[in-house]
Amino acid sequence: MEARNIKKITVLGAGVIGNSWVANFIWKGYPVNLWLYSAEEEITAKQVVQGHLEGLVINGILGEEEIPKMMKLINFTTSLEIAVKDAQLIIEAIIEDLTIKQKCLAEIDKYADTEAIYASSTSYKLISDIAKFSQFSKRCIGAHPYNPPHLIPLVEITIPEGERGSKKTAKIAADFFELINKVPVILKKDVSGFIANQIQSVVSTKCEELLANGVCTAEDIDKAVSFGPGLRWAIVGPYLIAQLGGGEGGIKGITLHIGKANLEDANEQAIKELEQYADFIQEEVNKEMANRPPEFGNDNKSLRKFRDKVLIKLLKAHKKI
Ligand SMILES: NC(=O)c1ccc[n+]([C@@H]2O[C@H](COP(=O)([O-])OP(=O)(O)OC[C@H]3O[C@@H](n4cnc5c(N)ncnc54)[C@H](O)[C@@H]3O)[C@@H](O)[C@H]2O)c1
């Protein structure tokens, strides 16, 4: 199967994530089977999905007249068999409980096309564990969205470890997400919390520590993050930020400069390791830069220009400029 063969999508679960996924897919024109854990969820699901689409209308992304035909693309069902049997992509967004996810996948194994991709939205469970008893583990991936999935482009993809996983499945899924303008990232290992939640959890721990130590208020922390690093993180990641922070010396320059200043024991071996790391990270950043389209900045000068352009847009939205 290829990404373009994905014509119908199943979303399992009509909670925060499921409903947002549905809004994303119908906005992009895909018919969706939305599986409801209980029939009563249909009313709320309709309201929530419609609300997401209305948000796109208010912000000039969609015409209001498009909403009814998009809403008609949803087929609500409480039957797992009906939900999955004609779909090429099955997005699971049910409760974060390993046993329940495993049982759900066992049912899917009975009814879904063997070619269909099963993608779990899990935040912290390993796809290796979710797919542990599946007959078709090679079609299983973790596909972690960021709330709200209909707006945030990131989808982090993992596959079961070893023989039970398939890089091909991850690639087809990544191609599909790119088709609908998302940003897929395929991880090299199946890890709990993927990339973003692992980073976020370090930030959260630090925030709790600052608060507990009476350094500042919750409001101060929110201001410090959203009017400081958050503004830059919305444009480029920590490595490209460091590339710009290093001026003409790039990330290698700043790594050596800060690294040497902070070495507790600046012995020959430690300096050598730091220099090796600085070379390595500069090479990584050079590769990343080379992959960037010129309009988003692919050298120091154009990247700085792009950063400033988006920064000014964000500051205008915050009425800080
Ligand atoms: N909320 C987030 O920010 C976020 C972000 C990324 C990923 N996720 C992941 O997405 C998944 C769904 O999270 P959510 O925030 O939408 O949760 P939610 O509580 O809003 O929705 C969970 C859904 O699971 C259904 N459900 C409850 N018990 C069930 C059962 N026994 N069997 C099957 N379905 C059952 C509920 O009816 C509901 O529709 C989780 O795996 C979560 O880790 C959440």
Side-chain angles (χ1 to χ4, degrees), residues 221-251:
I221 293 174
D222 277 344
K223 279 184 184 163
V225 174
S226 63
F227 290 106
L231 282 169
R232 297 196 309 204
W233 286 337
I235 307 168
V236 287
Y239 289 112
L240 290 187
I241 288 170
Q243 172 68 15
L244 293 182
E248 286 320 302
I251 193 166

Side-chain angles (χ1 to χ4, degrees), residues 12-19 21 35-38 41 92-97 100-101 104 120-125 143-149 197:
L12 305 173
V16 174
I17 296 303
N19 288 332
W21 269 130
W35 178 78
L36 308 165
Y37 179 55
S38 79
E41 287 180 316
E92 173 266 296
I94 62 169
I95 187 170
E96 183 79 339
D97 179 299
I100 292 175
K101 285 189 193 291
C104 178
S120 175
S121 300
T122 182
S123 302
Y124 289 101
K125 307 294 173 202
H144 178 244
Y146 233 56
N147 192 40
N197 272 350

Side-chain angles (χ1 to χ4, degrees), residues 34-39 76-80:
L34 174 54
W35 178 78
L36 308 165
Y37 179 55
S38 79
F76 297 90
T77 178
T78 53
S79 155
L80 253 187

